[in-house]
Amino acid sequence: MPPPLNPAQHAAVEHMHGPLLVLAGAGSGKTRVITHRIARLIERGVPAKAILALTFTNKAAGEMAERVHHVMKERGNKGSAKGITICTFHAFGLQVLSRERKALGGTFTIFDQGDQLACVKDILQRVERDGDRNFDASAILARISNAKNAFMTPEDYREREGDEYDDITKVVYPRYEAALRNFRAFDFDDLVCQVGRLWGEKPEVLKRWKESFRYLLVDEYQDTNGSQLALLRLLADEHKNLCVVGDDDQSIYAWRGADVKNILEFAHHFPGAKIVKLEQNYRSTAPILAVANAVVSVRTDGRHQKTLFTEQPGGEIVQVGIAPTPEAEALFVAKGLKACMTDEGRRPRDMAVLYRSNGQAKLLEEALREHGIPHKVVGGQQFFERKEVKDVLAYLKLALNRQDEISLRRVLNYPPRGIGETSVERLGLHALAKGWSLWQTVERVDALTDVPAAAREGCKSFEKLMAETRKRLLVDRVHASVVARELTEKAGIKKDLEVSSGGAPAAARRWGNVEAILRTFKNREERVTKKGNDAAHEADLAGFLHALTLNFDDEEEAVVDRVTLSTLHGSKGLEFDIVYLVGCEEGLLPHNRTLEAKATDATSQDIEEERRLFYVGVTRARKRLIMSRAKYRLQRGKPMPRTPSRFLAELPEELLNTYEVKSVEGASMEHAAEAATNILAMLENLGK
């Protein structure tokens, strides 16, 4: 039998009506509270279909759904969780917009991250006048995203004086929105923002959704932004049955729009709220928790006071290793991990190395490789952002919706069929001049005399391929997995990957990604068949394709026995027996971008977010935490002294075992020579 709920957890589970804020410290069992609360609501007669639980990742939503069903059985619950909605904010927004298509004026498609970047880059090419200035499209998109999530229209956008990125965003934002309208598309932010606008403008639509969902639960509430808060306030403004679970000490995503004030001011937004604090930690030892509590106890941005504690006895004191150079620090980490594996029998997958910036990973990877330590780097390109996967999905989206110009432009000449960029531009101009859609222009290409013969033939072969695909899906009702495989063969995608990937291993890997998406369709069809539904139904398949577009999580990776290397942001939600937290220096943690900002209130808030990021790193450790820093790092080719992170310096000495890492023994000759050269150069400069 699982252990009983502790008193605080029990209070959160038993609360029935009205707003509830569950302040869940790191490792305090928040998911257990959410799942038991859902089961308890159903026990009390709340229909599962009246419950909406919102998360931030598809993986978290899937795990929560599984645990709810498990808890229902565990508690001997006679009710059923069938019909409950557990999904991400964006997936819920897509559900609302899809069902309310009439109110929105018809069908739409979704701009994924790649489409957004391509659109902004295209606009920049058209509006930039300074040939010596290249703007980062991602930085502009971030500003547009933040504006949208604050319900700021292009007309409302206010640039800050002297900020050239704000200046260019002011120009790009309205053109970006016009491009979305022309493509009949929404981007990811719109999936929440447009729901808020729709509900605000059409009370009758909002009423339907309020009647559908009478109990709301939100996980990781500290990560919500302005538009998500607005959506929740609209949906809960009558029944008030909103339970949010989060930890303001772990709010680390302000750079992508999250607002820590949402959780700090919950009682203001939802008057009469009950607040429950989960402070008993089930993850870490007492010495690690002592450091964690000390880190956040000096926050200056206002916080919900709570102190983590554990009933576990003992535990190792937290260590701090001070290395002469970054190379020595990396070797210190590698040797420590190796000793854990060989002397203690630790599994690599139970250990992690965390750092503030991706640039710190290179030396660490080299050191781990030299010591034969298997490892993986968290991050990289997401599965559904890979070109070959997006190409297959674009073909199927277009087969279902010929007005999906984004997908049409993506695959019209892929694999190459003689329709170059100039021909595509001509097709677009003809569509604009004649009032046709781009698909209609492709269908009528023979009437366009200025389109080269090769491009005309390519358009006709493409149109024939898409007509056959559409017929197979919608008339013959063939499963999407079968149609997609036929399409990849007819279009020549596999052959193109073999030619364009730069070698057999890369081609095999990319084709493996195509096979993975085909398996995804196959798995879906098997699930739907068990339910007795028609897997080839147009609306159902279209919704599934949209859902795949929203899948930010990478494909499920088999459990491998490797040490995890990750940024602190990437480590959120993970935990390990042994954690190395490296680069605890001013300029790395907190990061230089924060330290170099102007002395404003925003700077103070940024520093506090860096503190919370440090706290997240500390609380990833279950049994052993080792922090490290370097005394010197190269800057413009010269070794410069480094200052300990203020977060490290603020910790009471009695909580730490601090020692010098005096040797680079075990390094390769190249690294040892480089470290020695750096130190000698440093001493020489100091002598001058």
Side-chain angles (χ1 to χ4, degrees):
M1 288 290 292
L5 297 170
N6 67 40
Q9 291 174 333
H10 182 77
V13 167
E14 291 298 321
H15 177 81
M16 186 69 178
H17 300 294
L20 170 66
L21 169 60
V22 180
L23 291 168
S28 62
K30 69 179 180 66
T31 305
R32 189 163 185 245
V33 165
I34 294 173
T35 52
H36 276 263
R37 178 172 169 78
I38 291 172
R40 186 69 176 118
L41 289 173
I42 294 173
E43 281 179 353
R44 289 177 165 181
V46 177
K49 65 180 182 180
I51 300 173
L52 170 65
L54 296 170
T55 70
F56 278 86
T57 68
N58 293 287
K59 182 179 179 182
E63 290 176 350
M64 186 181 294
E66 289 181 9
R67 291 186 65 171
V68 166
H69 289 286
H70 178 73
V71 168
M72 294 283 289
K73 291 181 180 179
E74 187 181 90
R75 293 172 65 102
N77 199 309
K78 295 180 180 180
S80 171
K82 185 177 181 180
I84 191 171
T85 300
I86 301 177
C87 60
T88 65
F89 273 96
H90 292 90
F92 177 67
L94 175 61
Q95 182 184 136
V96 174
L97 296 177
S98 297
R99 290 187 186 176
E100 305 294 347
R101 279 181 291 185
K102 286 186 179 180
L104 293 166
T107 59
F108 60 87
T109 188
I110 298 173
F111 260 34
D112 64 19
Q113 291 167 315
D115 299 323
Q116 291 175 268
L117 279 171
C119 181
V120 170
K121 288 176 182 177
D122 180 66
I123 294 170
L124 285 172
Q125 288 180 350
R126 299 171 187 272
V127 302
E128 284 187 53
R129 293 292 179 266
D130 184 356
D132 295 330
R133 186 67 175 98
N134 292 318
F135 287 100
D136 180 354
S138 297
I140 295 171
L141 266 178
R143 282 166 168 76
I144 292 174
S145 176
N146 288 339
K148 284 192 171 192
N149 288 320
F151 283 112
M152 189 182 296
T153 67
E155 294 73 29
D156 297 331
Y157 191 82
R158 295 288 181 267
E159 65 272 30
R160 288 165 292 188
E161 184 177 353
D163 190 318
E164 57 184 356
Y165 267 92
D166 273 351
D167 293 340
I168 192 66
T169 301
K170 178 74 173 177
V171 175
V172 172
Y173 188 8
R175 289 168 171 80
Y176 174 77
E177 287 294 278
L180 286 176
R181 289 193 297 271
N182 290 338
F183 284 120
R184 295 195 56 77
F186 293 131
D187 63 17
F188 288 121
D189 295 314
D190 289 330
L191 296 179
V192 177
C193 297
Q194 290 296 339
V195 171
R197 288 198 175 93
L198 175 66
W199 285 351
E201 294 168 2
K202 297 183 181 294
E204 69 280 7
V205 174
L206 172 60
K207 183 181 178 185
R208 286 200 297 271
W209 290 91
K210 285 195 295 189
E211 291 173 349
S212 295
F213 297 110
R214 294 185 287 108
Y215 286 86
L216 314 178
L217 298 97
V218 182
D219 190 17
E220 303 286 6
Y221 186 69
Q222 76 279 352
D223 295 335
T224 55
N225 59 36
S227 63
Q228 289 159 343
L229 171 62
L231 184 149
L232 293 170
R233 294 182 75 173
L234 285 167
L235 199 54
D237 70 343
E238 288 184 10
H239 56 66
K240 314 292 185 186
N241 297 324
L242 171 64
C243 168
V244 303
V245 183
D247 181 8
D248 54 292
D249 288 331
Q250 296 185 73
S251 179
I252 59 173
Y253 294 120
W255 52 275
R256 68 183 190 194
D259 190 348
V260 69
K261 290 181 181 178
N262 287 358
I263 191 168
L264 293 176
E265 300 175 1
F266 181 81
H268 170 72
H269 296 143
F270 302 94
K274 179 175 181 177
I275 299 177
V276 175
K277 298 180 182 181
L278 304 184
E279 298 173 286
Q280 184 171 352
N281 178 282
Y282 296 92
R283 175 189 301 162
S284 306
T285 61
I288 293 172
L289 294 181
V291 168
N293 288 325
V295 167
V296 291
S297 65
V298 291
R299 272 179 55 186
T300 61
D301 58 340
R303 66 183 287 258
H304 291 290
Q305 294 296 324
K306 55 187 176 299
T307 302
L308 298 180
F309 69 92
T310 181
E311 294 183 349
Q312 300 180 52
E316 301 177 20
I317 190 170
V318 174
Q319 304 175 42
V320 179
I322 304 173
T325 65
E327 293 80 10
E329 180 186 39
L331 291 167
F332 161 69
V333 171
K335 290 167 67 177
L337 292 170
K338 190 71 171 181
C340 289
M341 292 165 55
T342 57
D343 301 344
E344 302 178 28
R346 301 277 187 179
R347 297 177 302 184
R349 68 171 179 241
D350 292 331
M351 301 183 286
V353 185
L354 309 181
Y355 38 83
R356 176 62 178 85
S357 301
N358 280 311
Q360 295 171 255
K362 182 174 180 293
L363 284 175
L364 293 163
E365 283 192 85
E366 290 177 359
L368 266 59
R369 193 177 297 117
E370 286 179 5
H371 284 73
I373 300 172
H375 59 277
K376 64 177 181 179
V377 181
V378 172
Q381 190 178 32
Q382 301 294 294
F383 179 69
F384 290 98
E385 281 293 305
R386 291 168 184 163
K387 180 183 183 302
E388 54 274 13
V389 173
K390 292 180 69 173
D391 290 336
V392 172
L393 295 180
Y395 267 112
L396 293 175
K397 289 181 192 176
L398 183 61
L400 295 177
N401 177 16
R402 291 173 174 175
Q403 304 308 310
D404 186 347
E405 188 171 327
I406 299 168
S407 295
L408 174 54
R409 286 178 178 271
R410 182 174 189 89
V411 296
L412 180 57
N413 194 43
Y414 179 77
R417 50 177 62 92
I419 313 170
E421 290 185 11
T422 301
S423 295
V424 174
E425 188 172 348
R426 287 177 181 172
L427 291 170
L429 291 173
H430 279 292
L432 189 63
K434 301 177 187 301
W436 298 343
S437 68
L438 187 59
W439 175 260
Q440 290 173 320
T441 310
V442 170
E443 287 183 310
R444 303 167 187 178
V445 70
D446 274 338
L448 310 178
T449 57
D450 62 340
V451 176
R456 287 202 299 273
E457 289 302 313
C459 285
K460 286 190 282 188
S461 67
F462 177 75
E463 192 275 332
K464 181 181 178 181
L465 173 65
M466 295 312 302
E468 292 174 352
T469 303
R470 183 176 176 84
K471 178 177 179 295
R472 293 283 283 164
L473 282 172
L474 304 181
V475 179
D476 301 336
R477 317 295 274 186
V478 178
H479 284 315
S481 62
V482 176
V483 176
R485 187 173 293 279
E486 293 173 352
L487 188 147
T488 59
E489 294 173 359
K490 292 176 182 177
I493 291 177
K494 186 174 185 179
K495 183 177 180 180
D496 179 79
L497 292 177
E498 291 172 350
V499 172
S500 63
S501 297
R509 183 173 62 252
R510 295 182 67 192
W511 179 251
N513 292 332
V514 174
E515 290 283 4
I517 195 64
L518 297 180
R519 285 195 301 274
T520 298
F521 284 116
K522 185 70 174 175
N523 293 338
R524 164 190 168 271
E525 289 154 5
E526 290 174 353
R527 290 195 302 271
V528 174
T529 300
K530 288 179 181 178
K531 297 178 182 178
N533 296 330
D534 182 358
H537 186 266
E538 176 183 2
D540 183 41
L541 178 58
F544 184 68
L545 291 171
H546 278 321
L548 290 182
T549 305
L550 293 183
N551 196 334
F552 291 112
D553 306 323
D554 210 339
E555 74 276 24
E556 280 300 315
E557 182 181 283
V559 176
V560 290
D561 203 11
R562 300 177 186 171
V563 172
T564 295
L565 271 63
S566 174
T567 63
L568 288 166
H569 284 102
S571 73
K572 182 76 162 55
L574 304 178
E575 56 184 79
F576 307 89
D577 283 352
I578 298 174
V579 168
Y580 278 83
L581 177 51
V582 304
C584 298
E585 307 155 25
E586 293 288 292
L588 284 177
L589 186 62
H591 198 276
N592 264 331
R593 283 194 300 269
T594 300
L595 299 177
E596 292 171 357
K598 294 178 181 178
T600 64
D601 289 341
T603 303
S604 174
Q605 293 169 12
D606 291 343
I607 290 289
E608 291 309 312
E609 174 141 335
E610 293 282 305
R611 182 188 305 281
R612 298 193 294 268
L613 193 58
F614 185 78
Y615 172 84
V616 165
V618 168
T619 54
R620 297 313 91 196
R622 287 192 289 248
K623 298 179 179 178
R624 185 181 302 164
L625 173 63
I626 307 99
M627 298 185 285
S628 66
R629 67 178 180 88
K631 286 185 175 181
Y632 299 91
R633 288 185 189 268
L634 285 180
Q635 187 174 342
R636 295 187 178 89
K638 296 181 179 179
M640 300 296 292
R642 304 291 293 185
T643 304
S645 167
R646 67 190 66 190
F647 311 137
L648 195 61
E650 290 166 350
L651 295 174
E653 292 183 6
E654 63 270 17
L655 299 182
L656 307 172
N657 175 29
T658 303
Y659 52 90
E660 297 272 344
V661 177
K662 299 180 180 179
S663 172
V664 294
E665 181 184 353
S668 67
M669 290 301 294
E670 179 184 354
H671 277 158
E674 184 177 358
T677 300
N678 291 343
I679 294 171
L680 288 172
M682 173 197 70
L683 294 173
E684 183 179 343
N685 286 333
L686 291 175
K688 294 178 181 178

